[in-house]
Amino acid sequence: MGRGAAVFASALLVAFIAIPVLALALRTDPATFVRSVASEGARTALLLSLVTTTITLALALFLGTPLAHLLARSEFAGKRIVDAVVDLPIVLPPAVAGLALLVAFGRRGLLGPALAGGGIQLSFTTTAVVLAQLFVAVPFYIRAARAGFSGVEPTLEDASATLGYGAFGTFVRVTVPLALPSLIGGAVLTWARALGEFGATIMFAGNLPGVSQTVPLAVYLGLESGDVEGAVALSLVLVAVSMIVLAIVKSLQR
Amino acid sequence: MPRSDGAAFTVAIRKTLRDFELRVDVAFTSGVTVIVGPSGSGKTMLLRTMAGLERPDVGHIAIGERLVERAPQIHVAPKERGVGFVFQDYALFPHLSVTENVAYGLCAHRIPKPERDRRVAAMLERLDIAPLARERPRKLSSGQRQRVALARALVIEPQALFLDEPLAALDVLTRSRVRAELARLLTGYLIPTLLVSHDPADAAAFGGRVLVIERGTVIADAPYSSLRGSTQTAFLATFSEM
Amino acid sequence: MAANAHGMPRNLRFMNVLAPSVAAVFIVAGSASAATKPVTLTVFAAASLREAFTDVARELRSKDATTVRFNFGGSNQLATQIVLGAPADVFASADARQMQIARAHGALDGTASVFAGNRLVVVVPAENPAHIRSVRDLGRRGVRLVLAAPGVPVGRYARAAFSGMANEAAYGSDFERRVLANVISEETDVKAVAAKVALGEADAGVVYATDVGPLGSRVSVFGLPGRYAPVARYFIAVVRATVDVRAARGFIAFVRGARGQAILARHGFLSAR
């Protein structure tokens, strides 16, 4: 391909991605934006998104870190299966994820009766929002953390062991600090994916302001009910957050 | 001052490796023993097993009177064994300074900070690396890294000192100089000191007891001087060529 | 963000104004479908029309080689899409309000006409986990109720019904508040409400009478008291962006004609007149 053609194709593609984002910004003005974002509906959705994604991230770190370390450091029967299972949500359509969660944890789902026996009802709750987010987002952290842990020389952990630290002390003092850029990058991507989660949430958690209507659902429902300004304003908030996330990830890769 | 408790390290283990079985039944007393053998003969595995980083299939390991391994029931973790280990690539912590690297084991053993600082400073002084105290490992030469690794292993006052191919990372010119320095330094420590090497020249430099391992089996265990002239295997024959 | 639920008076007025104009449109459109060229029409229709309109399309295809593609959804969603320039030929809305929104944005060609009516019902899963025996039970604590979002016609109609019932001593003045407190999800269209009930995830939902048939034996049905249950009125209009006004009018004429009305009646819709 000639250089001119390559430049043209590149410019076309970059414009294709940049123009819609720009169009969002041009669709509003500062006064409308502030009014829309400050509206009660928008604030409720933003707060819910903040709370749920924070819990999702905490769960992802707490549960994903040991698994990522296991995958990076140990050989065990069925490791390839575990590996594939953990990656599955990345390629699964979110609507499928939502349906899967519903038929697993829903009232009539596989585990529904057992959960109901314990007085637990998951579907259509804020907990369901968190579970939907965790399902689709945690693989991004596990992948990044696993790569980070794999990059730490095993002899460094051996050295720490001979110098007097046990597995946990070694993990905290050697493994985590050396894998930190990967861990942070994975955490940020996971948080961003959780923030953007829509399909699985609306299927498994439903849509109710203050309970399950996160920002992406508010964007969709806002547009549906003709509130284009509100939808655009919330979209711009998500665009801004996404850009910050990208900046963080890029700076860590350097 | 170098310590001189001189507890003997006794090992009688078997461990199946990919191509052969490691079978060792030997005791080490104070002083330097050079464990020499071709690459892949099981030398490093022997050191790692003695340090507790690997588990033998069967057998036992004792440091003095203290049983640290009786496979498979008893396995004392590496952190409890008190073995100073200098790894082949030195395994310095890249995110810590020279001082922090050397202080690492003292932190693990919860030595109070004043004593810790004192012992680290003394050790850096002793190994001539005090000026490097604030550097990160990646700024150091191979020889300097080796000293830091040695300082880190010795500062915890180990019951035994293991060095895995400590000279392999050095270029030919510096190797003979560092080898001589190391020999001088190690003779001051009256603890079992095991130095693994694939190079018979190292056995010559340290001059004491030599353990020759081939395919997991000890084929010779004698003072260096008496190994010269042995032609039992091709590897042993190389001792005579020096 | 979501449209206000208390808009009934204005919409009733709108329908009154609209009704006389319906006949005229009907006459003009009635004779317009003589074209022989195969045409493809895109119809944006309220989700509740799915089964009936699918039958309409089947018959149209066999009759005069007109292929109809559908975009079914909440009427509010469809109105927004049309206002934002979606390439539709015909818009069929489950209420007057969404039609009016499309018209206010200049997205319609000509006037809208009423073509069907529908009743609201309460559906519960066949096993009835919350033991609902009457509409009054919807206000009981802990009932998991699913409604369409307030902007969706069926969601608006349902809220209006509960609001009306609250004026009745038999239900109590706090009936509306208690019912709305039981809402666990606001769905995007009536079919989503029906699905959540059929799946057993909700204890009850408010849908149209015509949505019950497709659910079969998976649900049981309660009627809403006639006095308070508003009759849903369906409106249909040509979209200004249409590429084939004649074909679009032809579709509307068919729906409003004897065959179309028969199909709608078979699916449980009320007559437009």
Side-chain angles (χ1 to χ4, degrees):
Chain A
M1 198 199 281
R3 188 175 157 73
V7 168
F8 179 73
S10 310
L12 206 63
L13 193 59
V14 171
F16 169 69
I17 296 168
I19 286 171
V21 176
L22 201 64
L24 274 177
L26 294 175
R27 181 84 197 204
T28 190
D29 56 83
T32 312
F33 175 81
V34 169
R35 182 161 26 83
S36 300
V37 169
S39 74
E40 198 195 332
R43 278 188 287 126
T44 304
L46 285 166
L47 181 66
L48 183 69
S49 273
L50 188 67
V51 170
T52 54
T53 54
T54 303
I55 297 171
T56 298
L57 180 59
L59 287 173
L61 297 181
F62 188 71
L63 301 172
T65 304
L67 176 56
H69 193 250
L70 199 68
L71 287 170
R73 279 286 182 262
S74 309
E75 292 302 324
F76 52 89
K79 180 175 173 180
R80 289 171 67 121
I81 296 171
V82 171
D83 217 9
V85 166
V86 167
D87 274 350
L88 196 58
I90 292 179
V91 291
L92 212 57
V96 175
L99 184 60
L101 287 167
L102 205 54
V103 298
F105 302 113
R107 225 185 203 189
R108 278 199 213 148
L110 200 59
L111 305 175
L115 290 168
I120 299 169
Q121 185 108 58
L122 290 177
S123 55
F124 301 99
T125 61
T126 305
T127 309
V129 175
V130 170
L131 293 182
Q133 291 174 350
L134 187 66
F135 187 89
V136 300
V138 75
F140 291 91
Y141 176 70
I142 294 172
R143 274 174 87 120
R146 180 193 178 163
F149 292 147
S150 296
V152 177
E153 279 293 329
T155 53
L156 294 176
E157 293 172 352
D158 290 342
S160 173
T162 62
L163 289 167
Y165 277 109
F168 186 73
T170 295
F171 183 70
V172 170
R173 290 174 166 263
V174 175
T175 318
V176 168
L178 291 175
L180 204 56
S182 299
L183 299 184
I184 294 174
V188 168
L189 278 179
T190 290
W191 181 75
R193 177 67 189 86
L195 183 68
E197 167 37 45
F198 174 80
T201 306
I202 202 164
M203 288 193 83
F204 181 48
N207 167 58
L208 193 66
V211 173
S212 53
Q213 193 181 84
T214 54
V215 174
L217 271 68
V219 168
Y220 183 70
L221 271 290
L223 187 64
E224 269 206 334
S225 56
D227 181 14
V228 180
E229 280 94 19
V232 166
L234 281 178
S235 298
L236 281 171
V237 172
L238 290 185
V239 167
V241 169
S242 306
M243 284 177 162
I244 293 167
V245 162
L246 268 184
I248 293 173
V249 171
K250 296 257 182 210
S251 74
L252 286 170
Q253 280 166 353
R254 229 172 274 133
Chain B
M1 265 312 289
R3 287 191 17 166
S4 55
D5 51 12
F9 215 125
T10 50
V11 189
I13 53 151
R14 290 219 306 266
K15 181 173 173 65
T16 306
L17 306 180
R18 191 181 303 170
D19 299 326
F20 54 83
E21 190 183 51
L22 178 66
R23 306 175 70 122
V24 174
D25 185 353
V26 67
F28 301 99
T29 48
S30 297
V32 179
T33 302
V34 177
I35 302 176
V36 72
S39 298
S41 56
K43 311 180 296 290
T44 296
M45 188 55 76
L46 175 61
L47 280 198
R48 291 178 60 83
T49 307
M50 289 169 70
L53 296 170
E54 308 280 346
R55 283 163 175 256
D57 298 335
V58 289
H60 66 266
I61 300 169
I63 303 172
E65 299 292 301
R66 181 167 165 243
L67 192 66
V68 294
E69 187 96 49
R70 177 184 281 145
Q73 304 92 345
I74 298 173
H75 173 81
V76 175
K79 66 169 180 157
E80 309 288 349
R81 294 200 182 191
V83 170
F85 206 123
V86 176
F87 292 85
Q88 179 168 359
D89 52 5
Y90 308 134
L92 298 180
F93 303 123
H95 59 301
L96 302 180
S97 69
V98 166
T99 300
E100 288 164 336
N101 263 279
V102 175
Y104 190 90
L106 298 178
C107 292
H109 290 96
R110 297 177 189 277
I111 306 292
K113 186 162 166 50
E115 184 189 344
R116 197 165 74 209
D117 290 348
R118 191 163 40 74
R119 281 167 67 174
V120 169
M123 185 55 73
L124 294 181
E125 203 62 51
R126 193 175 153 68
L127 291 190
D128 261 349
I129 46 176
L132 306 173
R134 288 157 181 268
E135 298 288 349
R136 290 289 160 115
R138 76 180 120 77
K139 299 250 179 164
L140 308 181
S141 71
S142 293
Q144 290 168 333
R145 281 179 206 183
Q146 190 207 59
R147 285 157 177 261
V148 175
L150 201 55
R152 187 177 67 177
L154 287 172
V155 79
I156 60 170
E157 297 181 350
Q159 310 251 7
L161 179 66
F162 297 173
L163 302 97
D164 189 9
E165 301 274 10
L167 304 163
L170 307 175
D171 62 75
V172 182
L173 285 177
T174 46
R175 187 180 300 170
S176 56
R177 178 174 58 79
V178 172
R179 184 191 282 136
E181 283 172 10
L182 195 59
R184 187 159 12 91
L185 192 86
L186 293 181
T187 49
Y189 281 85
L190 298 176
I191 51 174
T193 301
L194 312 188
L195 188 150
V196 153
S197 173
H198 65 279
D199 186 355
D202 291 337
F206 291 92
R209 182 181 174 191
V210 177
L211 204 68
V212 183
I213 295 188
E214 281 191 55
R215 291 185 63 79
T217 308
V218 177
I219 59 161
D221 181 1
Y224 171 73
S225 51
S226 63
L227 282 175
R228 299 197 59 149
S230 174
T231 53
Q232 198 181 334
T233 71
F235 185 76
L236 272 177
T238 60
F239 280 76
S240 308
E241 290 158 16
M242 290 188 300
Chain C
M1 153 157 331
N4 195 315
H6 305 288
M8 279 309 287
R10 196 179 67 184
N11 285 288
L12 287 173
R13 230 180 305 129
F14 176 49
M15 277 191 272
N16 291 339
V17 171
L18 202 72
S21 66
V22 162
V25 174
F26 181 37
I27 292 162
V28 172
S31 59
S33 61
T36 47
K37 250 193 315 184
V39 290
T40 300
L41 273 183
T42 302
V43 175
F44 280 29
S48 46
L49 292 164
R50 182 187 302 267
E51 292 80 13
F53 268 22
T54 303
D55 282 1
V56 165
R58 191 175 301 130
E59 195 150 321
L60 271 179
R61 194 206 299 266
S62 60
K63 188 170 136 289
D64 62 0
T66 300
T67 306
V68 185
R69 297 181 305 184
F70 290 109
N71 176 19
F72 292 112
S75 299
N76 54 325
Q77 179 186 359
L78 302 175
T80 303
Q81 289 169 355
I82 288 169
V83 166
L84 291 176
D89 296 301
V90 174
F91 177 31
S93 166
D95 71 359
R97 171 181 284 195
Q98 298 307 324
M99 194 56 94
Q100 195 183 32
I101 286 170
R103 194 167 70 153
H105 284 84
L108 300 186
D109 183 352
T111 42
S113 51
V114 177
F115 69 97
N118 213 339
R119 261 199 284 272
L120 293 190
V121 294
V122 174
V123 283
V124 301
E127 71 268 35
N128 199 355
H131 309 291
I132 289 166
R133 274 176 292 275
S134 76
V135 175
R136 194 178 291 119
D137 291 338
L138 295 183
R140 208 173 56 216
R141 260 181 88 91
V143 171
R144 289 158 61 87
L145 178 65
V146 171
L147 298 181
V152 184
V154 69
R156 197 166 53 77
Y157 289 135
R159 285 170 176 78
F162 294 131
S163 171
M165 282 180 236
N167 296 325
E168 183 80 2
Y171 294 97
S173 58
D174 63 342
F175 182 70
E176 180 186 15
R177 188 185 54 73
R178 284 186 285 122
V179 168
L180 295 185
N182 282 340
V183 173
I184 58 164
S185 185
E186 297 176 341
E187 299 293 326
T188 56
D189 65 49
V190 68
K191 293 298 182 193
V193 176
K196 295 286 156 67
V197 176
L199 272 169
E201 292 300 333
D203 293 330
V206 177
V207 299
Y208 294 116
T210 55
D211 295 309
V212 175
L215 298 176
S217 60
R218 288 178 293 167
V219 298
S220 314
V221 185
F222 296 89
L224 282 168
R227 258 171 309 168
Y228 306 110
V231 172
R233 307 245 281 164
Y234 287 70
F235 288 77
I236 194 163
V238 175
V239 177
R240 185 173 294 271
T242 182
V243 289
D244 192 336
V245 178
R246 274 162 52 104
R249 285 183 182 154
F251 178 85
I252 293 173
F254 181 85
V255 167
R256 303 201 64 220
R259 276 306 300 148
Q261 290 295 300
I263 292 170
L264 285 163
R266 196 170 73 230
H267 285 276
F269 285 91
L270 305 175
S271 161
R273 274 140 291 184

